[in-house]
Amino acid sequence: MNIIAFPLTLVATIFVLSTSIGNTICAQPIEPIEHAPPADDQRAQVPQELSEITQALKDLLNASYLTDEERSALRVEHGLWTSQDLNDPIHAAKAALMLCNLTAPSLKNPNADPFDRAHAALLRGEPQNAINLLDQQLGGLQPPSYLSIKAQAHEMLGQNDLALSSLKEIESMMTSEIVSDPNELAFAIEGLIQLTRLRGPTENKDFDANSEYQSIAKLLANARDNIDRLNWRIRLVEAQLFYAHNNYKDAHNAAVEVLQLNPRNATAAALIGNMAVDSFDFDTAEEIASRLDSISSFLDSPNSDNISPSLLGSIIRSRIALRRKDPQGAESAIDPMLVQLPNQRTLLELNAAAAAAGFRTSSVEHLLNKYDELSPGSPLAIMRVADTFSEYRQYTYAAELYRRVIERAPYWGQPRLQLGLLLVQAGKDQYAKSTLEEALKLDPFNIRAQNSLKLVTELASYSVIETPHFIIRYKPGTTDELVAKEMPEILERIHTRVTSNQPGGVDFEPAEKTIIELMPNHEWFAVRIGGMPSIHTMAASTGPVIAIEAPKEGKKSSIGRYDWARVLQHEYTHTVNLARTRNRVIHWMTEANAVFNEDAPRSSQTWSLLTDAYNNEELFDLEEINTAFVRPKKPTDRSLAYAQGAWMFEYIVERYGREAPLKIFDASAAGRNATEVFEQTLSLTPESFLEEFIPWAHDQLLSNGLILEDGVPDLSELFDTENEDAQASIPSIEQIDALLEQYPNHPQLITLKVGIALVGADTQLSNDQVDLLENAIVIRPTDEAPHRRLAKHYLASDSLKDQLKAIPYLEYLDAREIHSPAFAAELSLLYAQSATPSHAELALNKAIRAISIAPYDADQRERAARVALIIGDLEQAKHQIEALVLLEPDRSVHQRRLEALNKRLNSSTEP
């Protein structure tokens, strides 16, 4: 899916929502338009501060040939009305409809335009009222606008035959005469889009979705560019069409163009808000929702500061809550509007979706049945619920509902697309392919469908390796085969760890084998996980499928080399966790479990991140941490969410036992929300949990020398850090030692002393410098710097005995490394050169670990082969040389070495 970020400044500016203009609109009329005109020119001038609208529109509004009535009508048509303009009941109703303020009294005023009253009735969920209002006005031939609203009303009532009748009149009109009015043309095109979805190929044997779409696109382009360049309604239809086809970039651009021609168009602003929700840009979406509330409330009470929820703002907030896994919030967001608009269809659809998000299946069916009573046979509520179940990874429920939607709307491409995407996520590629092909027949320009079909076609060509618990798929004829063939043993070891009952183990086995898809580059990986918000940088679990980007360097790689085994252990924890909980799990808890199960100590960077958050009182609460994963506000938020989540998971295990997380998972699986889960399993509210956790976190930081005890001064208090003479402000070793007498083991002082003592030091250190670094490790064991310096010191020695002393420091560093094979490679050689028999196995293990980080690196393979030969493991040496043949086919030396090694192996097996 082509998801893009929507800059809040752009949306706010175009929507006439900058601080000065927005406040003017929300608090009072735009006075510059309303001011008394000069005596020689009775035209109201467009204020210069409204620079967001196009110059052509400003020129039109200032045209000398316009009468006052024409100018007033134009201002209303383009969302630039004044309070005087709204004294006219027709104008007032048009303004209310433009703001989607459907409860405004002006929309029930009998003096308002009947068409606007009918349109509002339709949007309120009163389709029969809309039809009656239209039928009372015109007899005989009706314009496309009337026919389009009637068709939508008939469809809402489940009267598809009558809807088709109205739509065919539009089609006939478009083929037999020229529709020159741009607004009528916009409604006509809306009708043709609806006709394509309702009629399909059954009633039109010549139906071709590609041709239908192209024809509609040409009509829109002609209307936009040739008939009326200032008509916003044409662009709005275009924006909605792009959005329906998952073309977010063009939809966004078209919506912005609408707002440049009609700054108060709530529908266009809401479209951008909904795209922001789709891309997890909740801040922008919330800001747009608030502005929609403001301008809608102003229409009701121009002299009041009270702001009431608007329909479109409430819809956006409900969708935000659903994406945040907050079903109660989704319901609360729409409850006030449901009181005012009890039959408004989108509100009813979201109400059912909220019940689905809360896993209240009986309520879902009840709400769907009630919706069906209002709109018999409608697929819309079922579709909304299916999408919610799919996003919440309730694949079985979602698939069943998508099929129900397809039965009701056989010519609508979207449900087939969503079902196809679901099947891709579930690893059912064969079924996904046929479903996506059907979707593209109905919607050939849908970008997501195109990408997903391309993916499943590609995956069908992949080779397969099967193990007791995994199915590994990889692109044949590539060096990816090396990694794929090295995965089985490691994956089975991961399975044993993750499914165990040891701390962090999920104590559960998935019913089916997990599919591991090794994607050759980031482009394919991105297609594979398109639309998923909660992803590891280089891998993602959908539950039954784990996609992983090949750990190689190059232009098409996003991350380069990395420890794929550690990453897969993280992702497989998600898979098993989701299987145990039936995909119903608190987001931060499953991420925390996955990081915990990486079985790797925290890096210095992670400790620093946690320390800064603690010191600045910026640790997340249990709601903020969920949002930080999907929509971080700061660059460090996502990393902090992972780190803090694992930290809290560690606390839960230590304080409440290894089974406590499993109890939390099981309570989540039963459909309870986060508050209920913590109260049931830990007898704590989320707030009281944090109150318990913070002191424990404090003690951990204190014991690792990352914070100071109460009353102990920090460096800024001990030294004059504001002295402009930097050199003079650097304390001497003697000064530091004197302070250490007063504050023994002060971690900041010791770190400072190490830094000063090592300035200009040789590669090999003095005994005093070594002792100083050793002490620093004791005082602040999380700091990697002393380990790096001591490893460098010992490796610089000519003595193997001294070089071997680097081992513990290299082990410390290697345990925390995910991207570089350097530490593991160095350890492998050191262990191999050691005379200690027990080191032989360690040497090979480290060589293999280096390869797991850099499997496409010929140097690492070469080193591993050499280590294997040193310790006498000829089979491992053969494996690595075979890998070298594949990696460097042009180097004949590898083939000669392989032949020599095979002779040696054969001779060793002869009797």
Side-chain angles (χ1 to χ4, degrees):
M1 180 165 60
N2 186 10
I3 293 181
I4 58 175
F6 306 105
L8 178 56
T9 52
L10 172 63
V11 176
T13 301
I14 296 299
F15 193 27
V16 200
L17 298 176
S18 62
T19 302
S20 59
I21 301 171
N23 288 344
T24 302
I25 287 177
C26 297
Q28 58 187 7
I30 304 177
E31 295 301 338
I33 291 182
E34 215 172 30
H35 75 293
D40 61 344
D41 187 351
Q42 297 300 309
R43 292 177 291 113
Q45 298 294 312
V46 176
Q48 290 299 309
E49 60 263 38
L50 284 181
S51 57
E52 294 80 10
I53 64 174
T54 65
Q55 184 62 43
L57 178 57
K58 286 192 283 186
D59 292 343
L60 174 62
L61 289 166
N62 287 321
S64 59
Y65 57 80
L66 292 175
T67 66
D68 288 344
E69 291 76 13
E70 289 171 334
R71 199 180 320 282
S72 176
L74 270 175
R75 285 198 297 267
V76 173
E77 175 66 16
H78 289 279
L80 297 168
W81 60 76
T82 69
S83 58
Q84 290 181 358
D85 292 330
L86 301 189
N87 290 333
D88 184 322
I90 292 177
H91 290 170
K94 288 187 182 300
L97 186 60
M98 198 173 292
L99 297 176
C100 212
N101 185 336
L102 304 181
T103 58
S106 59
L107 284 170
K108 294 188 178 181
N109 188 329
N111 294 318
D113 187 331
F115 175 79
D116 291 333
R117 292 173 59 201
H119 196 173
L122 174 71
L123 295 175
R124 285 195 299 268
E126 303 166 5
Q128 190 59 57
N129 186 22
I131 293 169
N132 294 341
L133 282 166
L134 293 175
D135 284 345
Q136 290 168 9
Q137 300 308 309
L138 295 176
L141 187 65
Q142 296 184 331
S145 56
Y146 277 53
L147 293 169
S148 177
I149 296 301
K150 283 182 68 174
Q152 293 176 57
H154 282 305
E155 184 183 1
M156 190 178 287
L157 289 168
Q159 301 165 350
N160 284 5
D161 289 345
L162 294 175
L164 283 168
S165 177
S166 293
L167 295 171
K168 289 174 183 177
E169 284 189 53
I170 294 177
E171 183 181 43
S172 176
M173 194 178 300
M174 293 291 288
T175 55
S176 62
E177 60 185 88
I178 296 175
V179 179
S180 58
D181 183 285
N183 286 327
E184 288 298 328
L185 187 54
F187 280 108
I189 294 171
E190 277 191 316
L192 294 178
I193 294 170
Q194 184 185 8
L195 179 61
T196 300
R197 176 170 53 80
L198 288 181
R199 180 173 60 181
T202 299
E203 294 190 22
N204 180 6
K205 294 181 180 179
D206 297 326
F207 174 85
D208 177 70
N210 194 332
S211 299
E212 296 279 343
Y213 183 91
Q214 294 282 17
S215 297
I216 290 170
K218 288 178 181 177
L219 285 171
L220 284 167
N222 181 58
R224 181 189 66 235
D225 298 333
N226 300 321
I227 295 179
D228 188 351
R229 289 178 176 271
L230 298 182
N231 186 274
W232 58 264
R233 196 180 301 277
I234 289 289
R235 286 166 172 79
L236 181 59
V237 174
E238 192 171 37
Q240 292 168 329
L241 181 63
F242 284 135
Y243 183 55
H245 290 269
N246 293 293
N247 184 344
Y248 278 47
K249 181 180 179 180
D250 289 339
H252 175 258
N253 291 340
V256 168
E257 287 184 21
V258 173
L259 293 170
Q260 289 173 326
L261 297 169
N262 184 339
R264 283 179 172 133
N265 190 285
T267 304
L271 183 64
I272 296 175
N274 278 302
M275 285 190 282
V277 176
D278 293 342
S279 63
F280 289 84
D281 186 358
F282 299 145
D283 290 342
T284 294
E286 179 60 47
E287 178 68 12
I288 291 174
S290 296
R291 297 296 188 171
L292 286 165
D293 293 347
S294 296
I295 61 172
S296 178
S297 296
F298 170 74
L299 192 70
D300 290 332
S301 306
N303 299 315
S304 172
D305 293 332
N306 294 329
I307 296 177
S308 302
S310 63
L311 171 62
L312 297 181
S314 299
I315 288 170
I316 288 172
R317 288 194 185 91
S318 183
R319 292 198 61 227
I320 290 172
L322 285 173
R323 303 224 77 180
R324 281 178 163 162
K325 304 296 190 290
D326 178 13
Q328 290 180 334
E331 290 176 333
S332 298
I334 57 176
D335 280 346
M337 292 309 304
L338 272 172
V339 172
Q340 300 178 55
L341 300 168
N343 294 324
Q344 210 286 326
R345 298 304 195 265
T346 304
L347 296 177
L348 295 176
E349 293 159 21
L350 286 168
N351 200 35
F359 307 115
R360 303 193 308 272
T361 51
S362 58
S363 294
V364 171
E365 285 303 320
H366 171 73
L367 291 170
L368 289 179
N369 289 336
K370 296 292 289 184
Y371 189 96
D372 232 27
E373 292 175 8
L374 293 171
S375 292
S378 172
L380 298 181
I382 302 175
M383 184 69 179
R384 182 84 67 171
V385 170
D387 286 342
T388 302
F389 274 137
S390 179
E391 181 165 359
Y392 283 59
R393 293 179 175 177
Q394 302 299 298
Y395 296 140
T396 302
Y397 289 129
E400 177 186 341
L401 290 173
Y402 282 133
R403 292 186 177 101
R404 284 171 60 182
V405 174
I406 291 169
E407 288 178 4
R408 293 186 172 205
Y411 313 125
W412 186 19
Q414 192 66 16
R416 283 183 167 82
L417 166 63
Q418 293 300 114
L419 177 59
L421 293 173
L422 180 151
L423 293 169
V424 170
Q425 301 291 350
K428 310 294 184 184
D429 292 350
Q430 182 179 351
Y431 300 107
K433 185 174 184 293
S434 60
T435 304
L436 290 168
E437 287 172 341
E438 292 173 3
L440 280 169
K441 288 178 183 178
L442 298 170
D443 190 356
F445 292 91
N446 194 296
I447 291 174
R448 289 191 76 191
Q450 292 170 0
N451 288 340
S452 297
L453 182 58
K454 182 181 177 183
L455 169 73
V456 294
T457 303
E458 168 76 4
L459 290 175
S461 68
Y462 278 25
S463 297
V464 173
I465 299 172
E466 195 159 349
T467 79
H469 299 99
F470 298 92
I471 297 172
I472 304 162
R473 303 203 292 192
Y474 65 94
K475 190 175 182 65
T478 69
T479 52
D480 292 348
E481 179 181 346
L482 289 175
V483 180
K485 290 185 175 179
E486 289 172 345
M487 281 184 170
E489 182 179 350
I490 294 173
L491 283 171
E492 289 300 326
R493 186 169 69 243
I494 289 172
H495 171 82
T496 300
R497 162 66 179 100
V498 171
T499 61
S500 72
N501 62 1
Q502 67 184 85
V506 187
D507 200 13
F508 185 87
E509 292 199 12
E512 297 181 355
K513 293 183 179 183
T514 300
I515 299 171
I516 309 293
E517 292 176 347
L518 180 61
M519 310 308 293
N521 53 51
H522 187 69
E523 179 183 352
W524 278 113
F525 174 72
V527 173
R528 183 65 184 84
I529 61 170
M532 290 186 59
S534 51
I535 61 171
H536 200 286
T537 308
M538 67 291 284
S541 167
T542 67
V545 177
I546 297 174
I548 182 169
E549 182 181 337
K552 65 178 73 168
E553 296 181 315
K555 292 181 179 179
K556 292 188 175 182
S557 171
S558 67
I559 198 74
R561 301 179 300 191
Y562 64 90
D563 185 353
W564 63 262
R566 176 174 169 179
V567 170
L568 278 180
Q569 189 152 317
H570 176 111
E571 297 301 334
Y572 189 56
T573 299
H574 285 314
T575 291
V576 180
N577 196 307
L578 293 171
R580 175 171 178 138
T581 63
R582 292 174 290 165
N583 296 327
R584 303 173 182 180
V585 63
I586 301 170
H587 188 174
W588 77 261
M589 275 294 292
T590 186
E591 293 295 353
N593 191 182
V595 175
F596 184 91
N597 276 5
E598 290 178 23
D599 294 333
R602 292 183 186 90
S603 66
S604 290
Q605 293 85 353
T606 299
W607 276 115
S608 177
L609 195 63
L610 292 170
T611 304
D612 288 345
Y614 175 86
N615 285 334
N616 296 318
E617 297 184 353
E618 292 179 349
L619 289 172
F620 299 119
D621 63 34
L622 299 194
E623 180 178 347
E624 292 169 337
I625 193 170
N626 277 328
T627 304
F629 281 110
V630 295
R631 192 67 192 179
K633 295 181 179 179
K634 297 189 300 183
T636 56
D637 277 2
R638 184 176 284 118
S639 296
L640 177 59
Y642 278 109
Q644 183 185 331
W647 209 18
M648 292 191 295
F649 191 95
E650 179 185 348
Y651 169 72
I652 291 171
V653 171
E654 181 179 310
R655 172 69 175 80
Y656 295 96
R658 67 166 185 82
E659 292 188 352
L662 302 181
K663 292 177 181 178
I664 291 174
F665 295 147
D666 291 343
S668 297
R672 294 175 176 82
N673 62 38
T675 299
E676 294 168 340
V677 165
F678 272 74
E679 288 176 348
Q680 175 183 319
T681 58
L682 305 182
S683 299
L684 296 170
T685 64
E687 294 76 17
S688 59
F689 170 78
L690 277 179
E691 290 172 2
E692 277 195 0
F693 167 72
I694 295 297
W696 177 89
H698 170 275
D699 291 345
Q700 280 225 331
L701 296 174
L702 185 63
S703 65
N704 283 294
L706 296 169
I707 60 174
L708 301 172
E709 293 184 6
D710 292 342
V712 176
D714 62 19
L715 292 183
S716 66
E717 297 171 295
L718 292 171
F719 301 106
D720 181 11
T721 57
E722 297 182 1
N723 193 321
E724 293 183 3
D725 185 349
Q727 192 64 35
S729 66
I730 298 176
S732 66
I733 294 293
E734 291 74 17
Q735 288 177 295
I736 295 173
D737 284 339
L739 287 168
L740 283 171
E741 290 288 335
Q742 187 177 357
Y743 305 106
N745 299 330
H746 192 298
Q748 294 178 357
L749 283 172
I750 290 173
T751 300
L752 179 61
K753 182 178 178 180
V754 168
I756 294 172
L758 295 184
V759 172
D762 294 334
T763 302
Q764 287 193 278
L765 305 171
S766 68
N767 290 338
D768 287 343
Q769 289 170 329
V770 169
D771 290 342
L772 190 58
L773 287 166
E774 293 282 9
N775 185 50
I777 288 173
V778 173
I779 299 303
R780 186 173 277 177
T782 62
D783 191 351
E784 295 176 12
H787 295 84
R788 289 179 180 274
R789 192 63 185 85
L790 286 168
K792 182 179 180 181
H793 161 72
Y794 287 118
L795 289 174
S797 173
D798 293 330
S799 165
L800 177 60
K801 182 179 179 181
D802 284 342
Q803 291 175 11
L804 293 177
K805 292 179 181 178
I807 285 177
Y809 308 109
L810 291 171
E811 285 283 12
Y812 177 97
L813 296 168
D814 184 46
R816 291 156 178 78
E817 183 56 56
I818 192 171
H819 293 293
S820 172
F823 301 128
E826 193 65 51
L827 282 165
S828 176
L829 283 180
L830 288 175
Y831 283 131
Q833 294 170 23
S834 167
T836 307
S838 61
H839 282 183
E841 185 177 352
L842 291 173
L844 186 57
N845 289 342
K846 285 298 177 181
I848 292 173
R849 167 160 165 71
I851 288 170
S852 74
I853 296 176
Y856 302 92
D857 187 335
D859 290 341
Q860 298 305 324
R861 297 281 180 178
E862 187 87 43
R863 188 183 304 239
R866 189 160 68 250
V867 169
L869 289 170
I870 290 173
I871 67 172
D873 190 335
L874 302 185
E875 287 294 342
Q876 184 62 231
K878 177 184 176 182
H879 171 72
Q880 300 304 334
I881 295 173
E882 287 174 337
L884 286 166
V885 171
L886 188 59
L887 288 170
E888 298 180 330
D890 296 335
R891 292 192 63 193
S892 58
V893 64
H894 298 320
Q895 188 63 47
R896 293 198 301 269
R897 292 170 64 196
L898 182 60
E899 291 170 0
L901 187 55
N902 279 329
K903 288 180 181 179
R904 188 173 169 186
L905 282 167
N906 292 335
S907 64
S908 67
T909 58
E910 292 177 359

